[in-house]
Amino acid sequence: MIAQQIAFGILAATMVLASLRLVTTKNVVHAGLLLAVVLGGAAGIFVLLAAEYVAVVQILVYIGAVVVILLFGTMLTRARIGEDTDLDNDQRWLAAIVALFMLGVTGTVLWQGFRHAGGDGKVHLNGVQRAAQVSDLIFGPYGIPFEVASVLLLAALVGAVAIARRD
Amino acid sequence: MYLVEYLLLAAALFSIGVYGVLARKNGVLVLMSIELMLNAVNINLIAFGAFRGNAIGQVFALFVIAVAAAEVGVGMAIVLLIFRNRASVNLDEVDLMRG
Amino acid sequence: MHALLAVASSFTGPRLDYHALAPEIILTATLVLVLLADLVLEERNQWLISNLAGIGVLASVIPIITLAVQNHAARSMAGGAYVVDDFSLVLKALFLGIGYVVLLMSTNYVEEGDYYQGEYYFLLLASLLGMVVMASARDLITIFVALETLSIPAYMLAGWRKRDLKSNEAAIKYYLLGVLASAVMLYGMSLVFGYTGSTVLTEIGKQVNGSITHKPVITLGIFFIVIGFAFKVSAVPFHFWAPDTYEGSPTPVTAFLSVASKTAGFVALLELIYVGFLGRNDVWGPMFWVLAALTMTVGNLIALRQTNVVRLLAYSSIAQAGYVLVPFAVAGDNIAARRSSFTAAVVYLMIYAAMNLGAFSVVIAVARKTRSGDISSYGGLFEYAPGLTVAMTVFLFALAGIPPAGGWFAKLMVFRAVLDSGTTWAVVLGVIAGVNSVIALYYYAAVAREMWMSPVPDGDVTPVRVPAPLLASLGLTGLVVMAIGVYPQLFAHFGDLGTLVR
Amino acid sequence: MLDHAWLIPAIPAVMFWLILGFGKRLPGKGHELGIAGVGASFVLSCVAAVQWIGRSTDVTIGEGAHVEHVRKAVEHSTTWFDIGNVHIRVGTYIDGLSVALLVVVGLISLLVHVYSTAYMHDDRRYTHYFAALSLFTAGMLTLVSASSALQMLFGWEAMGVCSFMLIGHWWEEKENSNAALKAFLTTRTGDVGFLIGLSILFFANGQTFDVRVWNANALGGHVSHLVLLMGAIALMGAVVGKSAQFPLHTWLPDAMAGPTPVSALIHAATMVVAGVFLFSRLYGVFFTGFSIAAPGHGTFTVPAVIGGITIIIAALLAFVQDDIKKVLAYSTVSQLGYMVMALGVGAWTGAIFHLFTHAFFKACLFLGAGSVSHSGSHHSFDMKRDMGGLRKHMPITFATFGIASLALAGIFPLAGFWSKDDILVTAGHNGYELFMVVGLIGAFMTAAYMTRCVWLTFYGEPRGAAAEHHPHESPAAITAPLVILAFLSITAGWLNGFGFHYFGHWTTNETLVHALERVNLVEPRFSFPAAIISLAVAGSGILLAWLYFEKRALGPLQDLAARNALAARLKLVLVRKYYLDDLYEKVIVAGIAGPIARGAYWFNQTVIDGVVNGAGVGAKAAGHIVYDIIDQKVVDGAINGAGFTAEEGGTLLRIIQTGRVQQYAAALFGAAALFGLALVFFVGT
């Protein structure tokens, strides 16, 4: 358990630092790579929580596809590779206030609500479901949203091509 | 491992994402910040799922991942569209309509 | 290997009720067909696509009718996550009806503009599918997927005039705020799921109404979820996107967003409130009260200052959403109010759909000649388009709630809900609604005056040629508005859907 | 016919659609259909009236000296729609009141239709005009025959919309369209009261709109007095708006912008009396709500006060008008004041009877004014500039106008005498002496201003258009209605005069008898002393005005306004209509609606953005100071205040720009966090 605690600590610290850097860096390409780090960290968290299937999907879809899309987008929009001074708008401080306020509200509520959740507030992994159960659920009770999601992905694909196509 | 640790991590990521969405002018960076927020939701879902001992959290997270991929694709297309017409991806210049 | 096989053999596929799912299946088949037809058909045969889409939408209504006449008990699938009952049938029919009218409005608009036709209809149908699914969704995941399915195609449709900077702007504003609202909503859903351990609304309802009472987590969860839909229905202060997006989008898409998408948001709210969170009216009661009061007032007051008719209708539809929020605010007060609020919301949505779609049909028809959205360009419309003028007057008066055009009945139902509740707060809200409906009259009447009593701005009185599909959409909506207004019995029963109200 | 009364409003309603659809293809361009429809309605109304009179008085109410035999109202209704378990019904409720109104509306509308064929000849929107007239008539007929208050609202609103179209018929002149909008919006302001009153009474009476039930419950004491008072006050708002009572009377004179026959129809005989009708139809509610049955000397009720004020102020305004139609318009307002006051003092029959007689002579006066402008003054309505001496050229118009004026002034034995006398006597009898005096003052003023009007139009030397263009008598389509109406102005009063009291017997109903029974009020009989007093008052009004104008007598008063500053000031107040319009337009509309709208707009543009930006700028400035201190670059920052360089000044200006999506997003998250905090804090504790 201690090992897991340490792993969580390292992962969490990495993710928070990387994401903080992500929203402040002056280099768009760095931001993309930092995003990959955060998402990879999240995959690690999933493994810690014994959701290894989701972790794999996270790496495949997020890091493999989303980050790549974003990096392609960065290049297509001819962002400067390297330092760029013009990435933030003029409401940085407002943004910081709102974000901190949000964190304050959610953090307090979560702390109060789950500090002692389930008696000791700990996550016990022995009862955790494996990939098979996940697939049973997806193709069972959640079959309808699954099929609908396929239409959604098709629509996003077709629409995005039509929107982004040069004509 | 305490459940609340995961939740606070997620809350922190969500708030950082909020900051990024509000403070970044470059459209691509805004999209990245949105991904941070959605990822925070996923951590919540997986942690709660593990805590509750059922797989619904994981299923929910998979749906979120799929939808997020679609969203980011569409968002990228719209940002590209704007770039093509304006030669810029600065969101604070997009203010033709107001009032 | 054996272990894997063992797992596989233990899997039992979901039992699907194909009759109940037939509307969704037909709609899906249609949208695939539309996509294929777009690939196959030559340029000059592209007009077939809109007809194909229209036929598909109408065909999806058939199973709804057969399901309705069977008078079957509610068909529940996937452990209560997907339910086909009277409520969902009526709402599905409403969505498909709206979809069909929007198709009619789009036909010439898309054909004559420089647009991708096949993709346009494909996305419209995909969005419609999301709405139809939403009407049956009784589960957080299904609601989430349905919401995204109806939203994501709409983001792109808003930007469908690709070379128009305003349309681009409409798309990015709608997209960004939409995604942010759904992120907040998802966060709320994760909290609710975490607290109850379930995503099915009935299950959540049991837990929420039972042991947990005053827990901040569930409060925050409910609130964040509602924000996602408050955005969808453009409730103040989550409305900022709406005027800009409505103005910039292609007009049929604007009609679609302001009616269908908004209705879908309200449908989801009805499901969530009535099935999931009924016991927590201490959370959503005051919230909807504030949202309703703000939405009506801000929407109406800003509408007074508008000079563009689409923007005026945008603010007007914000204000209309405020009236629909009124029953939500009073729904928790007692059982009578709970029932009449439900009826009021459903009936209001149906009537609102007809009158707003009608108003947008006129806007599209007039813009074919004037190429302008300024209210001043409606001057002397009566001179050269008396039919359109009469129709627009009917729709405007319906929106203002003047009998015998349909809107009065919707407002009557809302006031009935308020009076059924009878609490001081409810009555105050009713008074706010009353004052607002007077304010609203001023800007509706201003447009009417422009049409009836101003000179034609450029003196050009050549008649407006209204193509047949647009004429059909005008006729349909006008007929419905007048029919409801004169004989509300036609629609009154659609609101009495006890299935969600316990 | 009493059982099929729904046909009466239905025929003109159908004609509306037929005229819209086929009117333009007909040889007469649509007036055939309109006349046929309204004519049929009128004939059916007369049949209904005959049947009603022939109906046996089989309901006996009261006991002892107060026993009354009344006819049972004929009610037919069917379910209109259900909401939940509540059945809303629609149908007809025909009693003496409805029958009287049906006949009046049918007749006046028919005459106006005939008159319009000549008056509106060659109008560019001739067909639409007749369509609107038909719909308008249908609306009024629906109102008077309705069995449910909700149904009444339909007729009420249909008339509002039609009056909007008809008043603005010649919208090419901005003034006319403004008048139309003003009429529509002003009456709508009162209509809010109607809606609120409907809602209150709907729930107070166990979720029904049935007017019979409302009256019965109100009189039977089944509804609490407070609720009835609230309902009555709300409905009074509707009456005040529609029947142009003080202080919402300002729209009616402006509404003279419509074609003259429309003025006759809308603003003399039908639409404006809709408020009075509502009052008398729901008399039980008002009677109990306003405690009209409170006999005692010096008492007053809200409607009586409103009506009384309206009588006086409108009559005063009629003195300073140069436009003949405006004189008539203010006269209408004043006479409506009589009706409302009468209802307020318990003179139900008097009010209805005055409504009945007033319809004839006021329609005659309006149509006469139209005839003068059509053939005598070359489309001018200005009495001082373009009329005078017309009696020689237009004998029929003059004679009928004169008769109607005398009737309006209340001269024996014409119609107005009987109805006005009835009101005044009842007011005095019921203990409302103050209002009897007000009524007498009003009668004096009425006689005087009508004399002024007749004198300026028909006597003296021809002026302006009356002298330059050759005045002649109008065609038969115009004079025939005038003669008919003049005849009725002479005779209609006898229905309830000379001790006949036919009208009273025909119109009386259960509601009324119950109301009077409960408090021992009796509809008084004709009284000679009172008649002589009111006749003397009216006669002196005519005499004084005549002396003033014809004989140039009363020297000290001649041109007083020109010589005396105080008189001039008072006259200005009247000319400016007590500054009420200024109050509404400049203060209320411009002063409240404008700033509110601007305020909301400003709020949206400035405060929300300003908060966003202000927070941003403020925080940024603060951040700079901190940053500078930490980085020990104090010098730069301190000298430039909060660290504003020129560049940041530019930023400041640019910040004011709006329409930026991320500010919207900030509002979204800010509201989410704030609302969330508030909810967690308030709900969670």
Side-chain angles (χ1 to χ4, degrees):
Chain A
M1 283 315 248
I2 295 294
Q4 285 179 350
Q5 194 68 53
I6 292 169
F8 173 79
I10 293 169
L11 280 172
T14 317
M15 286 168 73
V16 170
L17 285 178
S19 53
L20 276 175
R21 193 76 192 104
L22 161 60
V23 295
T24 51
T25 179
K26 292 190 187 312
N27 184 322
V28 186
V29 179
H30 285 183
L33 298 175
L34 285 164
L35 181 64
V37 171
V38 179
L39 298 175
I45 297 278
F46 297 162
V47 173
L48 278 183
L49 290 166
E52 66 283 330
Y53 179 65
V54 183
V56 170
V57 173
Q58 169 92 355
I59 289 170
L60 284 178
V61 174
Y62 257 125
I63 303 175
V66 172
V67 175
V68 172
I69 289 180
L70 289 170
L71 285 175
F72 266 116
T74 308
M75 285 157 202
L76 281 173
T77 56
R78 292 187 216 124
R80 203 175 327 155
I81 311 289
E83 292 275 300
D84 193 340
T85 51
D86 197 29
L87 293 177
D88 286 355
N89 60 27
D90 44 25
Q91 55 177 13
R92 268 210 309 264
W93 289 97
L94 174 77
I97 292 167
V98 170
L100 279 176
F101 192 53
M102 198 87 186
L103 180 63
V105 172
T106 51
T108 317
V109 168
L110 290 170
W111 177 252
Q112 284 183 352
F114 293 104
R115 196 173 18 158
H116 305 299
D120 56 0
K122 288 190 177 176
V123 185
H124 302 280
L125 293 183
N126 35 5
V128 157
Q129 315 287 306
R130 298 285 156 179
Q133 274 99 344
V134 173
S135 75
D136 279 3
L137 277 177
I138 287 183
F139 294 102
Y142 294 105
I144 294 169
F146 179 77
E147 297 298 340
V148 175
S150 68
V151 174
L152 164 65
L153 287 171
L154 179 65
L157 180 75
V158 170
V161 168
I163 280 275
R165 189 158 75 187
R166 210 183 285 272
D167 51 10
Chain B
M1 289 182 301
Y2 292 94
L3 173 63
V4 75
E5 291 172 349
Y6 293 92
L7 303 183
L8 290 180
L9 170 65
L13 288 181
F14 193 84
S15 303
I16 293 169
V18 169
Y19 171 82
V21 168
L22 299 186
R24 293 302 222 177
K25 153 192 310 194
N26 182 302
V28 181
L29 290 177
V30 171
L31 292 180
M32 292 181 184
S33 305
I34 291 172
E35 293 309 312
L36 278 185
M37 295 168 66
L38 293 174
N39 215 57
V41 171
N42 277 348
I43 293 176
N44 256 5
L45 287 169
I46 301 283
F48 277 129
F51 178 68
R52 292 282 163 201
N54 65 28
I56 297 175
Q58 295 189 35
V59 174
F60 206 154
L62 287 172
F63 276 105
V64 174
I65 290 174
V67 169
E71 267 177 359
V72 81
V74 169
M76 207 59 240
I78 295 174
V79 169
L80 274 179
L81 182 65
I82 286 181
F83 176 77
R84 193 163 294 143
N85 285 324
R86 289 178 171 271
S88 157
V89 288
N90 287 349
L91 293 181
D92 55 355
E93 291 164 16
V94 185
D95 58 355
L96 279 177
M97 292 177 291
R98 61 183 80 161
Chain C
M1 194 63 203
H2 280 288
L4 254 181
L5 280 176
V7 168
S9 60
S10 76
F11 173 73
T12 47
R15 212 164 285 124
L16 292 178
D17 181 343
Y18 286 101
H19 188 188
L21 286 174
E24 287 87 338
I25 293 169
I26 296 176
L27 208 55
T28 312
T30 310
L31 65 92
V32 172
L33 267 180
V34 163
L35 197 59
L36 291 177
D38 182 47
L39 292 176
V40 174
L41 287 176
E42 292 169 39
E43 188 69 31
R44 62 192 161 82
N45 288 330
Q46 293 262 322
W47 57 271
L48 274 169
I49 295 174
S50 70
N51 291 357
L52 187 63
I55 291 166
V57 169
L58 289 183
S60 323
V61 180
I62 296 170
I64 293 181
I65 294 169
T66 60
L67 283 166
V69 295
Q70 271 191 345
N71 202 12
H72 201 280
R75 294 154 179 264
S76 176
M77 279 166 274
Y82 202 83
V83 176
V84 177
D85 55 9
D86 288 348
F87 169 77
S88 62
L89 286 178
V90 168
L91 267 301
K92 279 177 195 197
L94 176 64
F95 284 129
L96 291 170
I98 295 170
Y100 186 69
V101 172
V102 171
L103 283 175
L104 289 176
M105 289 161 72
S106 308
T107 307
N108 290 74
Y109 193 95
V110 176
E111 203 171 284
E112 289 159 23
D114 184 20
Y115 301 108
Y116 291 108
Q117 281 200 53
E119 289 88 345
Y120 176 91
Y121 293 112
F122 170 73
L123 291 179
L124 202 62
L125 290 173
S127 185
L128 206 52
L129 176 70
M131 293 166 188
V132 170
V133 171
M134 183 66 94
S136 282
R138 303 284 186 277
D139 160 272
L140 292 183
I141 293 179
T142 316
I143 288 177
F144 164 65
V145 172
L147 177 74
E148 295 299 332
T149 309
L150 73 92
S151 300
I152 289 179
Y155 300 149
M156 294 182 281
L157 288 176
W160 213 243
R161 283 199 306 224
K162 287 171 62 177
R163 288 187 200 80
D164 180 358
L165 288 182
K166 282 191 171 179
S167 185
N168 297 169
E169 189 173 329
I172 191 74
K173 283 178 172 168
Y174 188 29
Y175 167 81
L176 212 51
L177 291 170
V179 171
L180 295 178
S182 57
V184 174
M185 180 198 71
L186 273 174
Y187 198 84
M189 282 183 172
S190 75
L191 294 183
V192 170
F193 163 67
Y195 221 95
T196 59
S198 174
T199 60
V200 182
L201 290 180
T202 47
E203 192 59 35
I204 292 172
K206 272 179 210 154
Q207 303 220 24
V208 164
N209 297 334
S211 55
I212 18 175
T213 49
H214 294 300
K215 291 294 189 209
V217 173
I218 200 81
T219 303
L220 204 61
I222 292 173
F223 173 62
F224 279 179
I225 291 178
V226 171
I227 286 183
F229 298 100
F231 159 83
K232 213 74 219 151
V233 305
S234 63
V236 177
F238 308 104
H239 71 289
F240 286 101
W241 61 278
D244 294 359
T245 300
Y246 288 180
E247 187 187 340
S249 305
T251 319
V253 175
T254 305
F256 186 67
L257 292 181
S258 75
V259 176
S261 168
K262 186 168 284 196
T263 305
F266 278 116
V267 168
L269 280 177
L270 281 173
E271 287 159 355
L272 288 165
I273 296 304
Y274 275 90
V275 183
F277 308 138
L278 196 59
R280 292 309 304 270
N281 66 312
D282 56 334
V283 177
W284 49 260
M287 203 171 77
F288 281 122
W289 197 97
V290 174
L291 287 180
L294 279 178
T295 306
M296 289 185 286
T297 314
V298 172
N300 273 326
L301 288 178
I302 302 184
L304 286 174
R305 305 278 303 174
Q306 297 305 319
T307 55
N308 179 301
V309 77
V310 177
R311 230 173 149 76
L312 179 113
L313 285 175
Y315 280 110
S316 132
S317 78
I318 290 175
Q320 297 283 341
Y323 299 125
V324 193
L325 285 168
V326 171
F328 284 90
V330 302
D333 291 342
N334 56 43
I335 291 182
R338 192 188 302 162
R339 291 185 174 281
S340 56
S341 295
F342 184 82
T343 313
V346 173
V347 168
Y348 205 112
L349 289 174
M350 305 182 88
I351 296 174
Y352 167 76
M355 57 198 187
N356 222 36
L357 284 176
F360 273 108
S361 301
V362 177
V363 169
I364 292 173
V366 173
R368 288 173 64 82
K369 172 172 187 286
T370 61
R371 301 276 156 218
S372 162
D374 279 345
I375 294 175
S376 59
S377 73
Y378 280 66
L381 188 68
F382 183 63
E383 284 299 278
Y384 55 89
L388 284 177
T389 311
V390 170
M392 188 65 165
T393 310
V394 166
F395 295 130
L396 289 173
F397 282 2
L399 285 165
I402 299 175
W408 69 271
F409 184 65
K411 290 216 166 64
L412 175 80
M413 303 298 270
V414 168
F415 285 116
R416 176 166 168 264
V418 166
L419 290 169
D420 267 348
S421 155
T423 62
T424 313
W425 286 105
V427 172
V428 171
L429 192 59
V431 171
I432 295 176
V435 170
N436 268 299
S437 58
V438 179
I439 298 175
L441 185 72
Y442 281 77
Y443 58 82
Y444 293 128
V447 177
R449 171 164 96 160
E450 200 65 36
M451 295 187 302
W452 289 86
M453 297 179 174
S454 288
V456 184
D458 52 0
D460 175 14
V461 290
T462 48
V464 179
R465 199 184 65 79
V466 184
L470 201 52
L471 206 59
S473 86
L474 271 172
L476 272 175
T477 50
L479 203 67
V480 171
V481 166
M482 286 312 293
I484 299 174
V486 175
Y487 190 59
Q489 187 63 57
L490 281 177
F491 277 66
H493 277 310
F494 285 130
D496 298 340
L497 309 164
T499 48
L500 283 192
V501 188
R502 277 168 293 150
Chain D
M1 203 54 230
L2 295 170
D3 294 319
H4 301 285
W6 60 272
L7 277 171
I8 296 174
I11 294 171
V14 171
M15 285 306 169
F16 164 71
W17 292 106
L18 289 182
I19 296 173
L20 269 193
F22 308 104
K24 285 206 164 144
R25 308 209 184 119
L26 293 173
K29 302 271 185 190
H31 68 236
E32 303 95 327
L33 290 170
I35 291 175
V38 174
S41 281
F42 174 59
V43 170
L44 293 178
S45 303
C46 289
V47 172
V50 170
Q51 287 178 345
W52 175 257
I53 291 168
R55 197 172 164 79
S56 66
T57 52
D58 48 2
V59 180
T60 311
I61 293 167
E63 53 190 27
H66 300 306
V67 72
E68 283 262 8
H69 301 284
V70 300
R71 296 168 179 81
K72 191 170 170 47
V74 184
E75 192 174 0
H76 285 282
S77 64
T78 170
T79 297
W80 186 8
F81 59 91
D82 305 322
I83 37 179
N85 300 322
V86 183
H87 307 288
I88 305 298
R89 300 182 69 78
V90 63
T92 55
Y93 181 82
I94 304 297
D95 62 356
L97 175 63
S98 319
V99 168
L101 265 291
L102 285 176
V103 171
V104 169
V105 173
L107 175 64
I108 304 287
S109 179
L110 179 61
L111 294 177
V112 165
H113 271 80
V114 172
Y115 182 98
S116 299
T117 56
Y119 192 88
M120 301 297 288
H121 197 63
D122 292 334
D123 190 82
R124 61 193 302 197
R125 285 182 288 272
Y126 190 79
T127 309
H128 292 123
Y129 170 84
F130 275 93
L133 274 190
S134 278
L135 185 62
F136 179 84
T137 309
M140 185 70 189
L141 294 172
T142 306
L143 176 72
V144 300
S145 58
S147 70
S148 117
L150 189 64
Q151 200 183 341
M152 289 170 79
L153 179 69
F154 268 66
W156 183 277
E157 295 289 358
M159 276 193 286
V161 173
C162 290
S163 68
F164 174 68
M165 295 195 308
L166 287 169
I167 295 167
H169 184 72
W170 290 318
W171 44 254
E172 281 83 354
E173 281 171 47
K174 188 81 175 166
E175 204 180 313
N176 295 354
S177 71
N178 281 341
L181 200 64
K182 183 172 172 183
F184 185 61
L185 292 177
T186 311
T187 52
R188 272 294 288 187
T189 309
D191 290 358
V192 178
F194 200 151
L195 289 173
I196 295 171
L198 276 188
S199 316
I200 293 174
L201 292 168
F202 174 70
F203 283 92
N205 288 292
Q207 309 213 350
T208 177
F209 284 112
D210 193 319
V211 290
R212 189 178 49 77
V213 175
W214 285 15
N215 278 328
N217 282 348
L219 292 169
H222 301 304
V223 181
S224 89
H225 184 259
L226 182 67
V227 170
L228 280 180
L229 180 63
M230 309 252 287
I233 289 174
L235 289 178
M236 196 65 211
V239 173
V240 166
K242 205 74 158 186
S243 285
Q245 296 295 292
F246 178 81
L248 292 181
H249 64 273
T250 56
W251 65 271
L252 194 132
D254 283 24
M256 292 302 128
T260 306
V262 168
S263 307
L265 179 63
I266 296 187
H267 304 300
T270 55
M271 169 164 158
V272 291
V273 304
V276 176
F277 174 79
L278 177 73
F279 198 156
S280 46
R281 170 56 86 214
L282 298 175
Y283 200 57
V285 173
F286 287 96
F287 190 81
T288 320
F290 284 130
S291 311
I292 289 170
H297 294 271
T299 47
F300 59 89
T301 62
V302 174
V305 171
I306 292 175
I309 294 176
T310 309
I311 294 175
I312 301 296
I313 63 143
L316 279 173
L317 288 170
F319 275 107
V320 296
Q321 303 301 322
D322 291 338
D323 182 318
I324 185 168
K325 280 174 76 180
K326 292 226 163 143
V327 175
L328 298 177
Y330 281 112
S331 159
T332 304
V333 174
S334 178
Q335 299 302 312
L336 290 165
Y338 269 104
M339 299 173 207
V340 171
M341 185 186 86
L343 290 166
V345 301
W348 191 88
T349 308
I352 303 307
F353 191 48
H354 195 54
L355 191 166
F356 183 75
T357 59
H358 174 258
F360 300 126
F361 52 71
K362 189 50 68 60
C364 184
L365 288 171
F366 267 117
L367 295 182
S371 169
V372 167
S373 84
H374 189 74
S375 315
S377 60
H378 201 66
H379 308 299
S380 166
F381 288 103
D382 193 322
M383 296 187 296
K384 281 206 169 145
R385 218 179 54 219
D386 291 318
M387 295 182 191
L390 287 171
R391 70 178 186 280
K392 300 180 202 93
H393 306 288
M394 311 181 74
I396 303 176
T397 306
F398 166 64
T400 53
F401 198 91
I403 290 169
S405 298
L406 289 174
L408 173 58
I411 296 301
F412 179 86
L414 304 178
F417 169 77
W418 300 107
S419 52
K420 207 174 282 181
D421 201 50
D422 203 344
I423 294 174
L424 299 181
V425 171
T426 316
H429 182 273
N430 287 0
Y432 293 95
E433 289 89 353
L434 174 66
F435 295 102
M436 186 175 73
V437 175
V438 168
L440 281 174
I441 297 172
F444 172 78
M445 291 162 75
T446 309
Y449 68 69
M450 281 318 295
T451 309
R452 169 180 178 267
C453 174
V454 172
W455 192 86
L456 282 175
T457 310
F458 293 104
Y459 288 84
E461 289 305 310
R463 298 173 293 272
E468 291 153 19
H469 301 87
H470 300 284
H472 53 88
E473 188 54 271
S474 298
I478 288 179
T479 52
L482 290 178
V483 172
I484 294 171
L485 289 168
F487 174 74
L488 288 168
S489 303
I490 297 172
T491 53
W494 300 350
L495 281 175
N496 217 32
F498 293 127
F500 292 159
H501 293 289
Y502 289 130
F503 192 83
H505 285 303
W506 291 338
T507 53
T508 193
N509 61 27
E510 294 159 66
T511 306
L512 180 64
V513 175
H514 272 303
L516 300 179
E517 183 73 17
R518 246 162 41 95
V519 293
N520 243 349
L521 291 182
V522 180
E523 293 266 322
R525 302 301 181 193
F526 179 70
S527 120
F528 266 108
I532 289 169
I533 292 172
S534 76
L535 196 56
V537 164
S540 58
I542 295 179
L543 189 67
L544 283 177
W546 187 259
L547 288 174
Y548 179 86
F549 286 108
E550 176 67 19
K551 302 295 179 199
R552 311 301 288 174
L554 306 176
L557 289 175
Q558 294 283 357
D559 299 320
L560 183 64
R563 286 180 283 111
N564 183 303
L566 179 65
R569 186 65 57 82
L570 286 175
K571 190 178 174 188
L572 184 65
V573 170
L574 289 178
V575 171
R576 300 304 302 271
K577 298 174 271 184
Y578 307 114
Y579 296 97
L580 272 178
D581 276 345
D582 294 287
L583 176 73
Y584 294 153
E585 271 158 33
K586 300 215 174 83
V587 179
I588 295 182
V589 176
I592 298 176
I596 288 178
R598 271 198 295 281
Y601 187 69
W602 174 84
F603 185 79
N604 196 47
Q605 297 290 51
T606 317
V607 176
I608 295 178
D609 288 342
V611 167
V612 169
N613 295 324
V617 172
K620 185 172 183 175
H624 264 282
I625 295 171
V626 174
Y627 178 77
D628 288 348
I629 290 169
I630 291 170
D631 279 28
Q632 300 190 338
K633 292 176 184 169
V634 193
V635 186
D636 232 353
I639 291 172
N640 291 320
F644 283 111
T645 59
E647 196 183 313
E648 278 157 339
T651 320
L652 235 179
L653 281 178
R654 232 186 58 208
I655 287 168
I656 301 168
Q657 290 180 357
T658 54
R660 288 170 47 184
V661 62
Q662 282 163 304
Q663 293 186 355
Y664 301 167
L668 191 154
F669 286 116
L674 272 177
F675 267 76
L677 184 71
L679 276 171
V680 168
F681 185 75
F682 287 116
V683 177
T685 48

